[in-house]
Amino acid sequence: GQNIDQPTEMTATEGAIVQINCTYQTSGFNGLFWYQQHAGEAPTFLSYNVLDGLEEKGRFSSFLSRSKGYSYLLLKELQMKDSASYLCAVMDSNYQLIWGAGTKLIIKP
Amino acid sequence: DAEITQSPRHKITETGRQVTLACHQTWNHNNMFWYRQDLGHGLRLIHYSYGVQDTNKGEVSDGYSVSRSNTEDLPLTLESAASSQTSVYFCASSEGQGETDTQYFGPGTRLTVL
């Protein structure tokens, strides 16, 4: 079966750095997406990786290793507004998105 | 600005009733999707469409139907609502493949079936 694993919840301090991991087992791979979802709101797109390596977008970076079936989202200089759930999703061989259950990130002052 | 909207935002209905949730996008995207989101689960695909007159079943399609008569709209119908269908429903759309297959989500509809 297809599976996406992420930690259920993480806590970090304002101003610090946090890494949210995602491991996947899917039938085929056509890219990995990270989304941010604030409570009661819609998911919003953060990043897309299809090749191995690191993609940087301001305070957020996303890394992919296809051989290991592994990705992480790195958030730097954490702000209170970063408190949200972070969803990892993999596009499989049928171009369907398989979603992880999400990681709830709690930022403490 | 292009957008994707859903209505209603909140709905309470009774078991056995037919319910239709609307989704409208002005991105002119070919691809449209319906998901449900429940605590402890990732987003689960209900139905999707790759263009007008095209509809496909997703992972959890039982009890749901969709129709695509134009590019902008993909209404989701619950034929006979059940308590297990209490959930938050998200509609999404995307343009193509690769990074352009990034899905953009509507604000969601919270459905309660009593």
Side-chain angles (χ1 to χ4, degrees), chain B residues 8-71:
Chain B
R9 295 293 312 279
H10 301 271
K11 174 77 176 178
I12 300 174
T13 191
E14 295 177 343
T15 301
R17 289 191 180 265
Q18 184 181 78
V19 176
T20 296
L21 309 182
C23 175
H24 179 80
Q25 55 100 0
T26 58
W27 294 96
N28 200 34
H29 285 166
N30 285 324
N31 306 333
M32 295 185 73
F33 308 85
W34 273 105
Y35 292 94
R36 60 178 289 173
Q37 188 175 42
D38 304 286
L39 277 174
H41 291 274
L43 288 160
R44 291 184 290 176
L45 184 64
I46 304 171
H47 281 286
Y48 60 100
S49 169
Y50 288 150
V52 176
Q53 302 301 332
D54 176 75
T55 60
N56 306 279
K57 293 181 179 180
E59 175 191 359
V60 291
S61 61
D62 286 350
Y64 304 94
S65 64
V66 293
S67 61
R68 187 90 181 270
S69 58
N70 58 52
T71 301

Side-chain angles (χ1 to χ4, degrees), chain A residues 8-47:
Chain A
T8 302
E9 188 174 295
M10 299 182 70
T11 301
T13 304
E14 190 177 16
I17 299 172
V18 70
Q19 177 175 312
I20 302 174
N21 295 326
C22 171
T23 58
Y24 62 89
Q25 290 177 309
T26 57
S27 55
F29 179 85
N30 283 298
L32 185 143
F33 295 79
W34 284 96
Y35 281 76
Q36 181 189 61
Q37 185 177 25
H38 285 101
E41 298 184 7
T44 56
F45 170 72
L46 286 178
S47 68

